[in-house]
Amino acid sequence: MTQRPVDVLVAGGGGFIGGHLVADLLAQGKSVRSVDVKPFDEWYQVHPDAQNVQADLSLRDNAFDATDGAGEVFMLAADMGGMGFIENNKALCMLSVLTSTHMLQAAKETGVERYFYSSSACVYAAEKQTDTAVTALKEADAYPAMPEDGYGWEKLFTERMCRHFREDYGLTTRVARYHNVYGPEGTWTGGREKAPAAVCRKVAEAVISGRHEIEIWGDGEQTRSFMYIDDCVQGSQMILADDFADPINLGSSELVSINRLVDIVEEIAGIKCERNYKLDAPQGVRGRNSDNTLIQEVYGWEPSISLADGLARTYAWVYDQVKRAQD
């Protein structure tokens, strides 16, 4: 199939990050092909001005069709979710390697000019994330390799594929390691949501029901950093456009505990909740934070949106979804 040429292909364009990225690219006047495995009514955002395609990119022919005529590719497509999903679906997460492999092959064969791969902080060695007061993770900390089982291994393997496609075939590849992206228009219920959306939902439900109590997975002292979606979208485009070729952290260095995350959302909502700790729930590593030294040196970049501001925007959106679902 010969596709109408486009400036950019967003693989996984029906997902949370993909939907926001497509919107931003269209706003810049670029022509965009947005491809996702999900039916259109399950896409997070559908943009009429984009070339929207439902296709399973784990199938080689579909990957080649989707990539045909695209100048640049943002490869965001993967089977993933929050910690509850990742810990209980390791095989599904590993099977994303089919999409990753076929998309790289397609990009090479169809003459794509620049190729962006969204990796993850889950590639980092588990032994470096055992304390809540974690030392922020530098890019070199991915080796010796012992990433998150399942999801993290697939991400690290595909990082290496991107490197070797660049070295062996001359495909211009760029890799960003995302650290916990959150914001409106994302997953907020159903088991795949990440901590910020889950906390926003639980607090919103407490407000609406009048029962001011919430469940927290683990003891709440596990620590993370969280990056607002607008910073992720801008940072990803910055990295693809630049000459720096090695994997690089894209995240916030603002480390908080899950308990502190709940504090902030409670302050936004104007309530205090009784906290019920589910100690046998999936928690992931004990602590994880982004060391932004390299991205500051290369790009002079830091996230522009604080956690408090980003959570305020996210909570307002999640509250509306919870209210609408209950009406």
Side-chain angles (χ1 to χ4, degrees):
M1 181 190 305
T2 301
Q3 298 273 30
R4 186 176 80 247
V6 290
D7 297 321
V8 186
L9 162 66
V10 178
F16 163 51
I17 297 173
H20 283 274
L21 177 60
V22 171
D24 192 76
L25 292 166
L26 290 170
Q28 297 174 44
K30 295 185 178 181
S31 56
V32 180
R33 181 178 303 140
S34 180
V35 183
D36 204 284
V37 68
K38 297 184 289 293
F40 289 125
D41 61 1
E42 294 179 16
W43 286 30
Y44 292 78
Q45 299 182 56
V46 178
H47 301 283
D49 291 339
Q51 206 181 100
N52 297 304
V53 180
Q54 183 199 350
D56 182 355
L57 295 175
S58 72
L59 303 177
R60 188 177 185 275
D61 287 349
N62 288 350
F64 273 71
D65 285 345
T67 309
D68 183 38
E72 297 180 345
V73 171
F74 284 90
M75 221 305 275
L76 311 179
D79 211 340
M80 59 88 67
M83 193 49 59
F85 178 82
I86 288 174
E87 288 202 358
N88 293 306
N89 295 276
K90 294 184 175 69
L92 270 180
C93 291
M94 290 293 286
L95 282 171
S96 292
V97 73
L98 294 171
T99 306
S100 300
T101 303
H102 291 147
M103 285 298 295
L104 274 168
Q105 288 181 317
K108 166 183 171 284
E109 295 296 330
T110 59
V112 164
E113 296 165 13
R114 302 181 80 85
Y115 185 97
F116 175 91
Y117 177 64
S118 61
S119 186
S120 166
C122 289
V123 303
Y124 286 113
E127 66 179 19
K128 297 181 181 293
Q129 303 173 77
T130 58
D131 193 277
T132 57
V134 63
T135 300
L137 294 160
K138 294 180 178 292
E139 284 76 5
D141 290 331
Y143 297 95
M146 188 50 68
E148 190 87 46
D149 198 11
Y151 180 72
W153 275 111
E154 194 281 325
K155 288 293 187 183
L156 191 61
F157 173 79
T158 302
E159 284 191 9
R160 300 297 285 194
M161 274 208 299
C162 287
R163 170 180 167 177
H164 296 311
F165 268 69
R166 187 181 76 247
E167 293 173 341
D168 294 358
Y169 303 128
L171 177 64
T172 300
T173 60
R174 300 291 181 261
V175 175
R177 292 174 180 162
Y178 288 168
H179 286 251
N180 293 310
V181 186
Y182 74 100
E185 304 290 345
T187 303
W188 59 275
T189 190
R192 291 187 185 234
E193 67 275 18
K194 295 188 177 182
V199 170
C200 287
R201 186 197 74 243
K202 292 173 182 180
V203 172
E205 289 171 343
V207 170
I208 293 167
S209 69
R211 295 188 299 274
H212 292 182
E213 59 179 11
I214 62 172
E215 180 182 87
I216 296 175
W217 287 8
D219 63 4
E221 291 305 304
Q222 60 269 38
T223 53
R224 296 289 189 277
S225 64
F226 301 97
M227 173 174 55
Y228 191 68
I229 182 63
D230 291 8
D231 286 318
C232 176
V233 166
Q234 296 306 317
S236 298
Q237 294 176 71
M238 173 185 73
I239 289 167
L240 179 61
D242 197 74
D243 293 334
F244 187 81
D246 293 333
I248 193 165
N249 283 334
L250 186 62
S252 168
S253 57
E254 185 181 353
L255 186 70
V256 293
S257 68
I258 300 301
N259 280 327
R260 178 57 189 149
L261 187 70
V262 175
D263 289 341
I264 296 170
V265 178
E266 286 178 336
E267 290 165 10
I268 292 164
I271 65 167
K272 289 294 293 182
C273 293
E274 179 184 340
R275 302 179 184 186
N276 302 314
Y277 294 95
K278 186 174 173 59
L279 299 180
D280 61 348
Q283 301 174 50
V285 296
R286 192 62 175 154
R288 177 183 291 151
N289 194 18
S290 177
D291 186 309
N292 284 0
T293 303
L294 183 59
I295 200 166
Q296 288 171 348
E297 289 176 352
V298 175
Y299 301 102
W301 185 90
E302 265 290 321
S304 63
I305 299 166
S306 70
L307 181 59
D309 288 346
L311 283 173
R313 302 178 196 183
T314 305
Y315 176 77
W317 182 83
V318 171
Y319 179 91
D320 288 344
Q321 309 314 304
V322 174
K323 193 78 168 64
R324 187 175 298 119
Q326 294 186 1
D327 287 343

